[in-house]
Amino acid sequence: MTRSPEPNRKRQRVDRHQQHSGESASTSTIMTRSRSRSTAQPLPANAVVPAPLAAVHEPGSSVSSKGAQTNFGDESEVLESHQDSIVLTSKMLSELGSDQEVISKLGEAFSEPCTLARSFPQADALWAVDCPVDAADVRAAYSFIFENTSTEVHDELQRLTVDAINTMNAEPCDEHDIQMSAVLIMLLNPKITEYVNGDSTPVFPELCSAIMNQPSSQRTSLMQYFATSDAAPNTRDSLPYTAVTGVRTIPDEQLLGSDSEQASFERYVDIFQSYVTQEMVKAAQRVARPAAAGGEPTTQKVSLHGLSSCSLLAVVQCMALVNSYNNTHKMVSYTAFYNDAVNEHIDIKDDVPRFRMPDGVSFCGYPFLLSPTTKSEIIRIESVILMRTELQDSFFRAMFSGVTCPYLVLEVRRDNLVRDTLYQLDLKFSQDLRKQLKVRFVGEEGVDEGGVQKEFFQLIVRDVFSSKYGIFRASENSHFYWFRPLVAPGKDALEEIRLTGQLIGLAVYNAVILDIHLPPAMYKKLLGVPVTRDDLREVDPELHHGLMQLLNLTPDELEFLERTFEVEYEDLGELHTHELIPGGAQTLLTTDNRNLFIDKYVDFVFNSSCEQQFAEFKGGFDRICGSSYVRYMRPQELELLVCGCSDLDFAALERSTIYDGGYTKSTVVIQYFWQVVSEFTDELKRKLLFFATSSDRVPIGGLSKLHFVIAKNGGDSDRLPTSHTCFNVLLLPEYSTLDKLRERLLTAIHNSEGFGMI
């Protein structure tokens, strides 16, 4: 049962605080220094740190108390000598004789946030530098409470926690440096996301608001606590005992904190994720449509704007803070922030327009929550809105200034794709490029409802990356293409590079997946993310290996190489030299400057050698996608958007396939079809995809996301299978035998280029 705070509750907290202020002020305290070392308290009097270790220990190092052989004396002596300053530990709780004593002790600890912050101190002084709270001991205390005390204690703990959070939001405190310890202790409560105020509103968003209201330096300290609190060893014997029997209630392995910083950080991410998931599911259920007779209720989509009642925005904003820290320190994978419930229930059609409003509240504003599939859907909806706008504008313009085409129409010849496309795109205005694309191959009857343009992109991308144009090259040991170094790129070459960028932008805008092999570095540069040494491995594995080998050479070996800060490259058969630094021709490579040499070489490959080429490429891409949601994607997500998935999971395709014209999944010829397809190599499977959809690429989310239909096309005959590539429909005659189906299908997919009217 939840009780609302009494009117004189604040007065009682003040009285209790005054009762303890005398003894608390005179006692020594443990170290509560953050990684920034901005606030340090004295070490325990009996702590002995070896001089060499004390000199070299830095924030983020993984030196444990055991490995450092640090002697802090008997642990019980530490606790006894600081009994006045330590308000609460799990051992104190387990030694109490009744629930009333537990309630009294909790009331003392939770009387003020700053009082709570002095509970559960980290006894290992070196680990206390990174996190002053012993997280394992906090968990042990909560476990003791929830497993060994009555619901009266549980209710009181909830009330005290709610009061402490309300106090943090209502009463500014000068002790910001230790309030984060109180926040950490409350976050470790396994029921914190379930607690509510007296008016039944969730209290977790208020805790998040309290975090966001702290100074920036203290929010950063809290992020550091997330990374280290569970990575620190549990140096205190904090295993809880029942007050009556003295029996251990939690296994040792659950309390020994030996996890890495990454695992520690992810635990706190999961706390926020669990609350967001909980509220999204509740909101979806609230707006669910009533169940039809004999059916289940249909869940509806929800938007962040419509979730103001649960104050989810404060939690999402706090998650943004955690995500920002993670982006800098790479604690966990960015995928740990994807929220399945948000991606399942988000009302994209409502969120996208609100995102474009100046003061709109939308999940789109927090892209770290959204999966690549959801982001691709956002971009698709953005494109549809713009296409409809341009279509309407075309009709209005036609009324006053003559007939204008409502579509972006490209008429091209198969044997002159690049030149025809380049010429026509150069004549288009920016608003024309936002129209829906229609492609027509000269001399062919196919009407483009999506299939023709997919083949157009496949063919033209294959052309621009061929050696015929010479603007891209691939290493012999890499299947990725990168710009060819050019001393002075010609006008034609730059136009073709710009066209390539425009083509990729048009493909994204029109939701076409490309068979294109660009390295991760390209997507990084398009999104303004710095490239690194590791990116070179994908572009030129041999060069990357050679540069890394330089780090292992001795001074004598480097001297023998007589290598200077110069790079040689070939352009149109001529050898050219580029200095990596001013005076590079006279600067010898040594052990002191080899890291600089590697960094400058990587910079030459990705920046200096292709500055003009990439500027044109990005200019073409940004002409189409510069203002779209693409800029909120990560490089890995943009690569998926452009190229699709690599997983040819035809079992997933079989499960999601729709049957029409009298076919079902149990029809004999359908069973023959999937048996034949299961025997195909990956190459044949891609050819089948190309035959049926005009693209051999797998959409984001896998083949289960492909709307694939197999329709009956007459009885047994010698006709080949055909397809409506615009709608991903395979027209399959009802062949009488397995062998006949195999032979007819293989013949069709091996001769699948070109369009006609059926």
Side-chain angles (χ1 to χ4, degrees), residues 628-659:
S628 77
Y629 198 75
V630 165
R631 65 185 186 274
Y632 294 98
M633 302 187 85
R634 293 179 178 274
Q636 302 91 328
E637 295 168 339
L638 178 56
E639 184 176 5
L640 279 176
L641 183 67
V642 173
C643 303
C645 300
S646 59
D647 185 17
L648 287 172
D649 186 0
F650 267 66
L653 180 63
E654 182 179 355
R655 289 191 297 270
S656 63
T657 295
I658 300 169
Y659 302 99

Side-chain angles (χ1 to χ4, degrees), residues 494-531:
L494 292 177
E495 286 180 346
E496 289 158 1
I497 292 172
R498 186 174 183 82
L499 170 65
T500 307
Q502 286 182 329
L503 288 172
I504 295 175
L506 280 173
V508 169
Y509 186 72
N510 289 274
V512 177
I513 298 172
L514 300 177
D515 181 13
I516 193 171
H517 302 283
L518 294 175
M522 184 70 82
Y523 301 102
K524 282 186 173 183
K525 285 175 67 67
L526 283 173
L527 295 174
V529 178
V531 294

Side-chain angles (χ1 to χ4, degrees), residues 183 187 204-205 207-212 219 222-223 226 272 312-324 337 366 368:
V183 169
L187 278 173
F204 188 71
L207 178 59
C208 292
S209 295
I211 294 172
M212 298 304 294
R219 295 200 301 266
L222 181 62
M223 299 303 105
F226 287 175
F272 295 96
L312 190 60
L313 181 60
V315 181
V316 173
Q317 288 174 337
C318 202
M319 283 191 71
L321 173 68
V322 181
N323 177 70
S324 177
F337 288 85
Y366 303 93
F368 56 87

